[in-house]
Amino acid sequence: MAPIPKPTASTVRAIYAAYEAANTHYDSLGISVGEIGTECNRALWYTLHWTAHAEVITGRKLSIFRTGDRWEDVLVDDLERIGVEVWGQQDRIRLADGHIRGKCDGKALGLPEAPKTEHLCEFKSSNDNGFKQLVKDGCKKAKPLHYGQVQIGMHAFGMARALYLVVNKNDDSRYAERIEYDVDYCLRQIARVGRIIDMPEPPSRISENPEFFGCLFCKHKPVCHEKAWPRVTCRSCIHSTPEMGGDAHWSCARWNKPLSFDEQKAACPAHLHIPALVPGEQIDADHENETITYKLHSGRVWTDGGENEDSTTSHNTTSHTTTSQ
């Protein structure tokens, strides 16, 4: 018989609850530089189209995020303590007409290894296992998402070197690596995102096995592998298109208009799912009445756009969200 776990103290529960009550889900307007290094094109397409429902984040996890933010301040203080000048924290990254976006942790001048070279800064904290792997293999192999983030940041700001500075949360050890700008890597990634932006439907999965490591903890796994309904927004609608020539702009062919961020989140009564996002097989379409009919995997016949209790809004269980600009 397993031991009965001890109850969490009321004070601790109240602290976690306060974190949860204050938390706001932010939609990224595009593909984050922190995700661009992911191997799966389909995951990036899902991110762009807001298909995942808002993650429920526990108070304890939110506390971990807050601690990570504090470590950034500590590492800036560390650099300034040794005479390094640091500036530009939270400078914005905007590429591919705003569909690639993010912020940098800072820029630095005066590093002991290269005092006259400006460096992009990327600060991270890590548990002991991740830190040891990083020391052993370096950023590119051990942390490919971080490597992509650093590379795209250098590309955006026209910089040739980056400082990747990491603290071990277990024992306060520091790891510093100077990373050289790789123009070929950046151009390939930006071109890759451009292709993903142009895709009307999601590309192939990285694996058909839902237990594949790259899929196992992916936030898009329910929609990708488990026949879950996507979140209902303009970005999951067949009428919408991401546009170039602006700052992450989208337009609607149904109403022949650009879409504001709030409109994108809310969707409209004319919403029709992108067919590849519906967990079933399309069996009919009525252009005059603007409906698409599917045979769902459950065996039930469902009409998207039909005026019945199974209309698109019945699948939208997402709570209100805020757009991160």
Side-chain angles (χ1 to χ4, degrees):
M1 177 179 174
I4 299 174
K6 293 182 179 179
T8 303
S10 297
T11 299
V12 174
R13 289 201 306 272
I15 291 170
Y16 289 162
Y19 277 121
E20 292 165 11
N23 185 47
T24 302
H25 172 75
Y26 289 92
D27 287 310
S28 175
L29 300 182
I31 294 172
S32 167
V33 293
E35 295 181 273
I36 203 167
T38 186
E39 192 176 356
C40 182
N41 290 339
R42 192 179 181 100
L44 295 182
W45 189 94
Y46 281 143
T47 293
L48 185 68
H49 287 264
W50 292 348
T51 59
H53 292 273
E55 180 185 2
V56 178
I57 305 177
T58 65
R60 178 178 173 274
K61 193 171 184 179
L62 290 168
S63 178
I64 292 173
F65 294 161
R66 185 176 177 184
T67 300
D69 293 339
R70 288 197 294 266
W71 270 118
E72 290 185 16
D73 295 333
V74 170
L75 294 176
V76 169
D77 288 343
D78 285 349
L79 291 176
E80 293 177 338
R81 194 185 308 275
I82 62 171
V84 177
E85 180 185 358
V86 182
W87 73 97
Q89 290 96 321
Q90 304 303 306
D91 281 357
R92 292 183 174 185
I93 297 169
R94 299 291 184 267
L95 296 167
D97 292 289
H99 295 293
I100 297 173
R101 54 203 302 121
K103 296 178 181 178
C104 77
D105 289 340
K107 298 161 189 173
L109 182 66
L111 292 180
E113 296 90 340
K116 297 181 180 180
T117 302
E118 288 188 10
H119 287 69
L120 180 81
C121 295
E122 188 61 44
F123 304 128
K124 300 292 184 185
S125 57
S126 173
N127 61 28
D128 192 54
N129 288 336
F131 189 86
K132 289 177 179 176
Q133 195 67 41
L134 183 60
V135 172
K136 176 176 178 289
D137 295 326
C139 177
K140 185 174 182 178
K141 182 177 179 180
K143 300 290 184 180
L145 294 183
H146 296 175
Y147 182 80
Q149 185 174 5
V150 167
Q151 286 294 341
I152 296 301
M154 284 190 283
H155 182 85
F157 295 115
M159 304 177 77
R161 294 290 187 275
L163 172 67
Y164 179 64
L165 186 58
V166 184
V167 63
N168 185 329
K169 293 183 290 187
N170 292 68
D171 64 7
D172 264 24
S173 299
R174 306 296 201 266
Y175 172 83
E177 179 179 346
R178 294 178 65 229
I179 299 175
E180 185 175 352
Y181 171 53
D182 185 340
V183 61
D184 291 336
Y185 174 93
C186 292
L187 292 178
R188 286 196 305 270
Q189 293 292 0
I190 293 169
R192 172 195 182 203
V193 171
R195 292 191 297 271
I196 291 170
I197 291 169
D198 287 338
M199 291 178 179
E201 294 192 342
S204 300
R205 296 181 180 90
I206 192 173
S207 174
E208 295 302 316
N209 177 11
E211 300 307 307
F212 174 69
F213 182 78
C215 303
L216 201 58
F217 303 106
C218 178
K219 65 182 178 182
H220 304 293
K221 185 179 179 182
V223 172
C224 187
H225 281 289
E226 299 172 354
K227 301 180 176 60
W229 287 91
R231 179 179 161 200
V232 174
T233 69
C234 284
R235 295 196 182 194
S236 63
C237 177
I238 198 171
H239 299 305
S240 70
T241 302
E243 299 289 351
M244 307 305 286
D247 183 14
H249 289 176
W250 285 66
S251 67
C252 175
R254 171 62 176 79
W255 301 109
N256 192 28
K257 59 171 284 187
L259 293 165
S260 72
F261 302 135
D262 288 340
E263 286 173 324
Q264 291 176 44
K265 291 184 291 181
C268 79
H271 181 283
L272 286 175
H273 287 82
I274 296 170
L277 295 178
V278 175
E281 177 188 1
Q282 181 180 338
I283 58 176
D284 195 11
D286 186 332
H287 293 282
E288 182 177 352
N289 292 312
E290 300 184 41
T291 62
I292 305 175
T293 301
Y294 299 87
K295 184 175 182 181
L296 303 181
H297 288 294
S298 64
R300 182 167 60 89
V301 173
W302 174 72
T303 299
D304 193 5
E307 295 182 0
N308 55 57
E309 62 181 8
D310 295 322
S311 64
T312 58
T313 54
S314 67
H315 302 293
N316 191 1
T317 58
T318 307
S319 58
H320 293 292
T321 58
T322 302
T323 302
S324 173
Q325 300 185 31

